[in-house]
Amino acid sequence: MMSAENCIDTTRCPCPCLPKVTLEQAVIDLVESIALQENALSHILCAESRKMDAAMKLDGLDLCKLLEVNDSATNMVHAVANLELVLKDKLEFVSNNLYYPPADAAAK
């Protein structure tokens, strides 16, 4: 549970009590959120692959139904690709605007 001394003053703002974090922790949290979203997208693509495999194994599957399954998978892959671009932009924003390597790392 958060303590009151670790929260932003809510008397001036009706926002919920949020913990104060350092810039370094905020960058770590953002990169971690990107990684988790990437992981979720990989699971979606695996599910699409399993769906295609299952459709191919069905008896009596006609060409029309197979094309419908293929179109569904294609639409999902396009949606995932669009989300990948958003995540790439998010990561570039973090690396270009929020992450500053330590001064001793730049000297090496």
Side-chain angles (χ1 to χ4, degrees), residues 42-103:
S42 75
H43 286 283
I44 290 170
L45 291 176
C46 284
E48 287 300 314
S49 172
R50 287 191 299 273
K51 181 172 77 174
M52 290 295 293
D53 285 342
M56 295 295 291
K57 293 175 185 174
L58 289 176
D59 290 332
L61 183 68
D62 64 351
L63 181 61
C64 186
K65 290 291 182 187
L66 186 58
L67 289 173
E68 285 180 19
V69 172
N70 186 60
D71 284 344
S72 171
T74 299
N75 290 337
M76 184 59 71
V77 169
H78 285 173
V80 168
N82 288 335
L83 290 171
E84 287 286 348
L85 291 174
V86 171
L87 291 175
K88 176 184 163 281
D89 290 343
K90 185 177 177 180
L91 186 58
E92 285 178 354
F93 176 82
V94 169
S95 65
N96 293 335
N97 298 295
L98 298 179
Y99 176 70
Y100 300 103

Side-chain angles (χ1 to χ4, degrees), residues 9-54:
D9 182 15
T10 57
T11 57
R12 291 180 284 152
C13 177
C15 301
C17 185
L18 300 173
K20 293 180 183 177
V21 296
T22 64
L23 178 61
E24 181 179 340
Q25 186 60 49
V27 170
I28 290 168
D29 291 347
L30 285 167
V31 172
E32 182 181 13
S33 75
I34 294 168
L36 290 170
Q37 290 169 328
E38 291 284 354
N39 187 43
L41 293 177
S42 75
H43 286 283
I44 290 170
L45 291 176
C46 284
E48 287 300 314
S49 172
R50 287 191 299 273
K51 181 172 77 174
M52 290 295 293
D53 285 342

